[in-house]
């Protein structure tokens, strides 16, 4: 993924040295958030809940989405200390392209 983003976003070695420590820090934080949300969802699926508990489960899922977005915004602000908005945009497009290729490859392997 690192090499793909460097190539697609045309990051210089200096830009990459600023970007990737922050990027991987963000990925670690996102994983913690999603793992926690997944654990709560799994627990809700395994138990019989009443309406109030389902409301809480729905709210937790929505809060996880909001927290992920806030985290993304926080890190884009950090990237802006070192990178232009054009570079950040290129990185975002490279990430999307990487995910699409990953999904495409996974689907082809499943056939």
């Amino acid at each position: 993924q690192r090499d793909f983003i460097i190539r697609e976003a045309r990051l210089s070695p200096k830009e990459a040295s600023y970007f990737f420590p922050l990027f991987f820090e963000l990925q670690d934080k996102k994983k913690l958030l999603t793992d926690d949300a997944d654990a709560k969802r799994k627990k809700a699926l395994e138990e019989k809940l009443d309406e109030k508990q389902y409301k809480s489960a729905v709210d937790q899922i929505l809060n996880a989405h909001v927290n992920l977005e806030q985290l993304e915004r926080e890190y884009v602000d950090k990237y802006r200390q070192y990178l232009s908005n054009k570079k950040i945009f290129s990185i975002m497009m490279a990430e999307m392209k990487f995910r699409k290729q990953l999904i495409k490859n996974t689907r082809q392997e499943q056939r």
Side-chain angles (χ1 to χ4, degrees), residues 2-93:
R2 185 181 195 280
D3 292 340
F4 184 89
I5 291 172
I6 288 171
R7 187 175 58 253
E8 288 291 316
R10 297 183 179 167
L11 296 179
S12 71
K14 186 176 182 179
E15 289 169 330
S17 74
Y18 290 131
F19 172 71
F20 281 103
L22 291 171
F23 176 77
F24 290 122
E25 184 180 295
L26 171 60
Q27 299 314 306
D28 290 344
K29 288 181 179 183
K30 285 168 63 174
K31 183 167 177 10
L32 288 174
L33 273 176
T34 55
D35 286 352
D36 183 53
D38 289 344
K40 289 175 181 172
R41 258 192 303 273
K42 184 178 178 186
K43 184 179 177 188
L45 286 170
E46 292 171 351
E47 298 177 5
K48 287 193 170 201
L49 304 179
D50 62 26
E51 192 62 22
K52 185 176 178 182
Q53 291 168 314
Y54 275 116
K55 180 190 181 306
S56 176
V58 168
D59 289 344
Q60 287 174 352
I61 292 167
L62 293 173
N63 287 337
H65 290 289
V66 169
N67 291 337
L68 285 169
E69 183 180 337
Q70 287 174 339
L71 209 60
E72 290 276 355
R73 289 180 183 278
E74 176 186 326
Y75 275 79
V76 165
D77 287 341
K78 289 180 181 186
Y79 301 155
R80 284 183 172 135
Q81 295 174 28
Y82 307 104
L83 301 168
S84 69
N85 286 304
K86 182 178 180 179
K87 281 288 181 174
I88 295 168
F89 179 81
S90 296
I91 290 166
M92 294 169 102
M93 295 302 102

Side-chain angles (χ1 to χ4, degrees), residues 36 38 96 101 104 110:
D36 183 53
D38 289 344
M96 282 194 264
Q101 284 187 353
K104 182 180 176 184
Q110 291 174 347

